[in-house]
Amino acid sequence: MTQSPPTAFDIADMTWPPPPYRPPVPPVTAADGVRRFDGITYATTPGYRPRLLDVQVPAGEGPFPAVVWIHGGGWLDGDRRYPPPTVPAALLHGAVLTAGLALVSVDYRHSLEAPFPAQLHDVKAAIRYVRAFAGDLGIDPDRIGVWGESAGGHLAALAGLVGPADGTDGVALEGTQGVGSGETGVLAVVDWYGVSDLVALASHPMPPMPPMPSGVEFPDPYEALLGASAAERPDLARAASPVTYTEGSTPPPPFLLVHGTRDGLVPYSQSEALAGALEGAGGEVTLRPVDGADHIFLGSPDIASIVEESVAFLARHLGVGA
C-alpha cells in the first residue's frame, strides 16, 4: 500500500534540524490512579540514540515532588527501567510513589558512545526537561532530588554538587543538551555505592570481570569513562570526581550515602571520602554502612529497609507532608 505524501499542513509544521527534545506524551492512568509517561525523548544528538525518560506520578492532586533515578552499570551498561537485580523494581518504584513522590527514570549515553562529561550533560538535561515541562507532568519544579546506584550514584553526586560555574581545565559540565538552559540544582541526593574520587581509585585493582565472547575484552570502566587512564588524563579524572566540588559558593544539598562495607568493586572508602569532604564543607551528610555487603548490596538480608530509609530521606528533604 502506497503511503500518501505529507500534506502542505504537515510540511509547514516540520522543522529542520529536528527539535532537540519532544514534549511529553499523553499519560496512561493505571487502575490505582498512578499516571505513567513512558519513553519521553528529553534530548537528542545526531549520531546517537535519543535519550529517554519515564515518569510515574502518584494518584491525587499535584504537583508532586520528584525523584530522578539514575541507573548503574559501570557507565557501560544499564537501563532506566531496571534497578540492580538485588532491588526489585516493584519495591523501589512502589516505595517512591507510596511516599507521595513522582519518579523520573532516565537513560544517559554510555561511555563507549561518548566519554565523560556526556553522562553528566544528559542527567542535567533530564533535570532541565522536568522543570521545563513540570506543569504537563504534574511535578513541582522547585522540589527535585536525585538518587542513583553505582555509576548512577556517581552521577547523582555530581548532579547535586556541580553548578553552572563549575568546571576544571576547560571541561564544561553543565552541557546544553535537550532544553539548553535552565536551573539544574536539586534539594537532596541519595548515592548508593558511587565513585567519589577517580584519582584515588586508579590504584584500586579491578575484580575479575564477567566472561565475554571469544576475542572480546571487557573494557575497563574507568578508562572507558575518561577515554584514557586516570594517569593519562588526571585533569579529566578530577573533573569527574564529586569530591572536587564539595566546597563551593553555596552549601551542598543534604546527602545520604549508602555503601556495603565489603564492596569489592567500589571500595567503601570512596563513600567515606565523600562524606568527609561534605562535612568539611559544612554540608549535611549521612553515611550508612551496610555491614558485610558487597556491590549492589549483595549479602544484605534486608534490602527493603535500605530502600525505605532512602525514600524517607528524600521525602523529608523534598517537603512531603510539610
Side-chain angles (χ1 to χ4, degrees):
M1 181 177 178
T2 303
Q3 186 174 12
S4 300
T7 65
F9 177 80
D10 294 327
I11 293 172
D13 279 0
M14 292 181 180
T15 60
W16 190 264
Y21 55 86
R22 299 286 184 179
V25 296
V28 174
T29 303
D32 59 4
V34 171
R35 284 165 290 152
R36 294 184 60 101
F37 301 78
D38 290 328
I40 300 174
T41 298
Y42 74 84
T44 62
T45 305
Y48 295 93
R49 62 193 166 101
R51 267 82 78 209
L52 306 180
L53 60 80
D54 299 333
V55 181
Q56 299 180 63
V57 183
E61 293 295 324
F64 295 94
V67 177
V68 176
W69 167 260
I70 311 169
H71 69 79
W75 308 282
L76 287 159
D77 199 0
D79 187 312
R80 70 187 186 280
R81 298 168 295 177
Y82 307 119
T86 48
V87 183
L91 170 65
L92 189 147
H93 295 181
V96 171
L97 293 165
T98 300
L101 299 166
L103 179 65
V104 181
S105 305
V106 305
D107 280 334
Y108 53 88
R109 283 170 289 178
H110 294 153
S111 56
L112 295 185
E113 294 179 273
F116 184 84
Q119 298 71 32
L120 180 58
H121 288 173
D122 289 348
V123 171
K124 292 278 191 175
I127 295 170
R128 284 195 296 268
Y129 184 96
V130 170
R131 283 209 165 94
F133 290 99
D136 300 283
L137 299 170
I139 285 173
D140 184 342
D142 297 322
R143 294 191 290 167
I144 297 175
V146 289
W147 180 5
E149 63 95 15
S150 195
H154 162 260
L155 294 172
L158 284 174
L161 293 170
V162 169
D166 290 310
T168 60
D169 299 301
V171 179
L173 298 175
E174 195 72 12
T176 57
Q177 298 290 316
V179 177
S181 62
E183 173 60 39
T184 62
V186 298
L187 296 184
V189 178
V190 174
D191 173 357
W192 282 0
Y193 45 85
V195 170
S196 66
D197 187 343
L198 273 78
V199 177
L201 200 59
S203 60
H204 177 72
M206 288 289 296
M209 290 293 102
M212 298 289 286
S214 177
V216 177
E217 291 186 8
F218 193 91
D220 181 291
Y222 305 111
E223 291 191 9
L225 179 69
L226 301 177
S229 69
E232 293 170 314
R233 289 298 309 274
D235 56 334
L236 194 56
R238 286 192 299 272
S241 297
V243 293
T244 302
Y245 309 101
T246 51
E247 294 190 23
S249 57
T250 58
F255 269 70
L256 172 63
L257 308 174
V258 190
H259 208 134
T261 59
R262 299 188 66 182
D263 193 322
L265 186 61
V266 179
Y268 178 72
S269 58
Q270 285 282 300
S271 284
E272 289 181 310
L274 182 55
L278 290 165
E279 288 173 352
E284 176 185 342
V285 56
T286 300
L287 174 59
R288 181 73 65 231
V290 182
D291 290 335
D294 202 340
H295 205 62
I296 67 170
F297 302 136
L298 279 170
S300 172
D302 192 4
I303 299 295
S305 68
I306 298 172
V307 173
E308 179 182 356
E309 180 179 7
S310 301
V311 172
F313 174 88
L314 289 162
R316 182 169 67 255
H317 289 289
L318 296 180
V320 174

